[in-house]
Amino acid sequence: MAYDPGNIFAKILRGELPAYRVYEDARVLAFLDIMPRAPGHTLVIPKAPSRNLLDIEPEDLAAVAAAAQRIARAQMTAFEAEGITVTQHNEHAGGQEVFHLHVHVIPRRLGVELKPPLSYKETADVLAEQAARLQAALAD
Ligand code: AMP
């Protein structure tokens, strides 16, 4: 399947759509999911135009993995997490909704179930506060 440069995350990368950005380097961008399954739910994406795991270059995949680890460690303190869930979907049949590769990094607490996907849109105020909190933990 071909990469479509009109997807939402490509627009975020080009600055055509806003995002609650928390981390960026030469190869990746991380920003908050606006329909979080738990507080602090973050998406890590490659800057390279990759549809999903099936077409991403190994170097970009490695950079995404390293950034996901960095985000996960920061979430442990920023969101007083007790664990982290990492998921990644490929193609419609694999649960993918946005066709630019993204890794979900989700802070978890014991006994707290994840919200269903796409079930709740977080408010701008809360997302802005959470992005600042995660940025501060990433800077430590
Ligand atoms: P997936 O099912 O893995 O493709 O997940 C797509 C994710 O993108 C969902 O968790 C959505 O909540 C999230 N999402 C969709 N649009 C945006 C957006 N503009 N900014 C941040 N996250 C988004």
Side-chain angles (χ1 to χ4, degrees), residues 8-9 32-35 43 89 95-98 102 104 118:
I8 294 171
F9 295 167
L32 295 185
D33 195 307
I34 57 172
M35 288 171 272
L43 301 174
H89 303 134
Q96 187 173 11
E97 301 282 349
V98 178
H102 50 283
H104 299 257
L118 312 179

Side-chain angles (χ1 to χ4, degrees), residues 7-24:
N7 75 75
I8 294 171
F9 295 167
K11 289 180 180 173
I12 287 174
L13 278 171
R14 291 194 296 267
E16 296 167 9
L17 284 177
Y20 296 89
R21 293 169 176 243
V22 295
Y23 175 78
E24 181 169 9

Side-chain angles (χ1 to χ4, degrees), residues 74-136:
Q75 286 173 336
M76 291 295 286
T77 50
F79 298 98
E80 298 175 336
E82 297 169 300
I84 303 290
T85 293
V86 175
T87 62
Q88 191 273 319
H89 303 134
N90 301 284
E91 298 300 333
H92 279 298
Q96 187 173 11
E97 301 282 349
V98 178
F99 292 91
H100 183 110
L101 184 139
H102 50 283
V103 171
H104 299 257
V105 187
I106 309 174
R108 301 299 303 275
R109 292 187 61 82
L110 280 172
V112 181
E113 294 295 323
L114 291 179
K115 291 189 173 69
L118 312 179
S119 62
Y120 170 72
K121 188 164 186 302
E122 188 52 275
T123 65
D125 284 358
V126 168
L127 289 168
E129 186 278 324
Q130 291 175 343
R133 212 190 315 166
L134 190 49
Q135 284 166 359

